[in-house]
Amino acid sequence: MRVETKSAGILAATLALGILIGMLAQAGLARGRSRQVAALRGPPGFVAHMERVLELDGNPGAPARAILEATAERNGAIIGAAREALRAELDSMKRSLSPVLTDDQRRRLEDLEPLPDPFRPPPPRNGPPPR
């Protein structure tokens, strides 16, 4: 085997190994980040996160906690309204499309899985997100 061929083989193997390690590392980081985001989306998540960021301790944080809880409640209402508006728009689209589609196309549209919730990260591949 020639030296150039050996060098090219070693270089290609090193590149492939680097790509593999990078992909695995990125997947691990993304999985951890989606868990963090899912935890923040839970009812106490936003308030608890903001309390940690602001370092609120005990009684002096009570007025700030009330503001954080009110904000979390309003945020939840905004997200709920957006979900409802999205569902209504998709239902309207289906009604508008129905007259112009064939029977087969209508069936495929009805069999289509609902769109994922844009306000929630996708569940990890190994099960549902932690609560």
Side-chain angles (χ1 to χ4, degrees):
M1 190 179 245
R2 294 180 45 183
V3 173
E4 291 85 10
T5 308
K6 261 188 184 176
S7 296
I10 291 171
L11 185 59
T14 303
L15 177 63
L17 184 62
I19 290 172
L20 179 66
I21 290 171
M23 288 171 56
L24 293 173
Q26 195 277 335
L29 290 173
R31 190 176 311 118
R33 185 71 182 143
S34 65
R35 283 191 191 120
Q36 289 174 341
V37 170
L40 281 176
R41 292 182 194 282
F46 173 77
V47 175
H49 173 72
M50 292 305 295
E51 284 179 332
R52 280 192 306 274
V53 168
L54 300 173
E55 297 179 355
L56 300 177
D57 296 326
N59 199 13
R65 182 174 176 79
I67 293 169
L68 293 174
E69 287 173 346
T71 301
E73 189 173 321
R74 285 191 305 273
N75 288 349
I78 291 168
I79 290 171
R83 283 186 184 129
E84 289 302 316
L86 180 60
R87 278 190 205 104
E89 184 59 33
L90 291 175
D91 288 343
S92 174
M93 177 200 71
K94 286 180 181 180
R95 281 192 303 277
S96 298
L97 276 175
S98 186
V100 298
L101 298 178
T102 66
D103 289 338
D104 187 46
Q105 289 170 328
R106 262 188 239 105
R107 182 189 49 77
R108 286 199 310 258
L109 182 61
E110 290 304 318
D111 290 346
L112 185 66
E113 289 185 29
L115 291 175
D117 186 344
F119 300 105
R120 285 205 172 273
R125 294 176 192 239
N126 59 354
R131 291 271 172 192

